[in-house]
Amino acid sequence: MMNRKRAFIGILSVIMIMMMVTTGCKPKQAAAPTPAQPKEMVPESTVVTPTETALPQNETITNPSVPTPATPAGNQADKVSLASADKGDKGDKDKGEGEQTPPAAKPNAQTKPKIEIKSPYTQAKPTLLGLTLKTSAAEITEKFGKPKEQFVMEDDTDPITVYDYTDFLVGFDKQKQLHFVDVRSADVNPGLNGLKLGDPVEEVTKALGKPDSNTSFVLTYKATGAVLKLDIDPKSQKVNSIKLFAE
């Protein structure tokens, strides 16, 4: 019995040794290469190259079958003004930065005529603004320039042509001789010994003496071939009009 057991163990040991030998003699198989991962396909950026047929941005394609709406008439004067302005701007741009057309100089505002009193008023030689009656219109315009306005006071016998110099008026008869002078502003010196428009009535007698006619509204001084008339404001008692006219 013991012999059988030992024989069985021996056979089992032989079998195990053979199995071990067999296993150890098998050549190691090379590891299978790992298949390469396919590269990720990256989409290429699409570059759009402009062609000659490409339309500019905001370009509207006009369908030839659809009629173009007519432009409203509007104000033609406004259109001409805008077109002129656009033309001027375009001309400046075309000339270059250093050659732009300078803006047109603004015309000088009309300056007031300069009053020089060389001959102040006297009873023997009555003047107003230094002007003597019957002076020609040519002399007046030579001295003061062209008037701001000109109009005619219609009269059946002798129409008067009036030159308006804003601060004063002068009128001429048919012979174009000075017929009257009318002071309209306190800014000018009428040549009455310091008296001006807007002065109180008591200053009149100080400058000109006692008037030939005195009412509540008018002071009159008679002189050689002329009459000096001063209107008085009854409320303020100030001079509001000074006139010299032919008798």
Side-chain angles (χ1 to χ4, degrees), residues 94-113:
D94 292 342
K95 286 186 177 181
E97 186 176 354
E99 302 178 1
Q100 292 184 2
T101 304
K106 294 182 179 180
N108 294 329
Q110 183 178 4
T111 56
K112 292 184 179 182

Side-chain angles (χ1 to χ4, degrees), residues 86-129:
D86 292 341
K87 184 177 181 181
D89 293 340
K90 183 177 179 181
D92 288 344
K93 292 178 181 178
D94 292 342
K95 286 186 177 181
E97 186 176 354
E99 302 178 1
Q100 292 184 2
T101 304
K106 294 182 179 180
N108 294 329
Q110 183 178 4
T111 56
K112 292 184 179 182
K114 186 177 180 180
I115 308 295
E116 294 181 358
I117 307 299
K118 295 182 179 180
S119 300
Y121 175 87
T122 63
Q123 188 176 8
K125 189 179 179 179
T127 62
L128 191 59
L129 297 174

Side-chain angles (χ1 to χ4, degrees), residues 151-155 158-162 171-174 179-180:
F151 58 92
V152 176
M153 297 173 61
E154 295 295 342
D155 191 302
D158 191 4
I160 303 297
T161 302
V162 181
F172 303 93
D173 56 20
K174 291 187 297 185
H179 183 74
F180 76 84

Side-chain angles (χ1 to χ4, degrees), residues 24-213:
C25 293
K26 288 182 179 180
K28 294 183 179 180
Q29 295 181 357
T34 304
Q37 295 289 336
K39 293 184 179 180
E40 185 178 357
M41 299 298 291
V42 180
E44 296 182 359
S45 300
T46 302
V47 179
V48 179
T49 304
T51 63
E52 295 182 357
T53 58
L55 291 176
Q57 191 175 4
N58 298 331
E59 182 77 13
T60 303
I61 301 176
T62 305
N63 188 341
S65 63
V66 179
T68 304
T71 304
N75 191 329
Q76 296 298 326
D78 292 341
K79 292 181 181 180
V80 172
S81 299
L82 292 173
S84 299
D86 292 341
K87 184 177 181 181
D89 293 340
K90 183 177 179 181
D92 288 344
K93 292 178 181 178
D94 292 342
K95 286 186 177 181
E97 186 176 354
E99 302 178 1
Q100 292 184 2
T101 304
K106 294 182 179 180
N108 294 329
Q110 183 178 4
T111 56
K112 292 184 179 182
K114 186 177 180 180
I115 308 295
E116 294 181 358
I117 307 299
K118 295 182 179 180
S119 300
Y121 175 87
T122 63
Q123 188 176 8
K125 189 179 179 179
T127 62
L128 191 59
L129 297 174
L131 302 177
T132 304
L133 297 179
K134 296 187 178 182
T135 302
S136 68
E139 290 182 66
I140 299 296
T141 54
E142 183 179 355
K143 184 174 183 178
F144 298 129
K146 292 182 178 181
K148 181 182 178 181
E149 293 182 14
Q150 179 177 333
F151 58 92
V152 176
M153 297 173 61
E154 295 295 342
D155 191 302
D156 293 338
T157 58
D158 191 4
I160 303 297
T161 302
V162 181
Y163 289 1
D164 184 355
Y165 286 96
T166 304
D167 288 338
F168 61 92
L169 304 177
V170 290
F172 303 93
D173 56 20
K174 291 187 297 185
Q175 289 74 33
K176 294 186 178 181
Q177 293 181 339
L178 187 61
H179 183 74
F180 76 84
V181 182
D182 183 1
V183 177
R184 294 292 188 91
S185 172
D187 295 334
V188 296
N189 178 15
L192 298 177
N193 302 318
L195 182 70
K196 290 185 178 182
L197 203 69
D199 284 350
V201 67
E202 56 265 22
E203 294 296 325
V204 177
T205 54
K206 291 180 182 180
L208 300 174
K210 184 179 179 181
D212 295 297
S213 174

